[in-house]
Amino acid sequence: MLLTIISIIAHCRDNVVAEAVASGLPVATVSSPLNGAASVVHRYGIGVVGAPTASGFASAVRQTLDAQSELSARCLEVSAELDWTVLSRQ
């Protein structure tokens, strides 16, 4: 099982998410006003966003692993929409 884990609460560049999605890797991350990955994950349904706590993050990872095959397929479906040139304009 493979996934991308973004465990930071601070700023995360969208290119990390774009590269994961292009590889079919769903993303587990936490909600934070500074974590741009969380909004992209939520908007495109390519992983799970947990609360910014240890238990919330663990839950997001667990849920992402449980739904990995569906989320991986979703990643590949939306990968063209998440091209870095598209994300840089948002």
Side-chain angles (χ1 to χ4, degrees), residues 3-55:
L3 69 146
T4 302
I5 299 175
I6 301 172
S7 61
I8 60 171
I9 295 176
H11 182 72
C12 175
R13 298 216 176 257
D14 292 338
N15 63 330
V16 173
V17 177
E19 291 169 4
V21 168
S23 300
L25 299 175
V27 178
T29 192
V30 295
S31 61
S32 168
L34 299 176
N35 183 0
S39 63
V40 174
V41 169
H42 181 70
R43 182 180 323 136
Y44 291 96
I46 54 170
V48 179
V49 178
T53 63
S55 61

Side-chain angles (χ1 to χ4, degrees), residues 44-68:
Y44 291 96
I46 54 170
V48 179
V49 178
T53 63
S55 61
F57 184 55
S59 178
V61 171
R62 193 169 30 257
Q63 290 175 53
T64 303
L65 288 171
D66 289 345
Q68 184 178 15

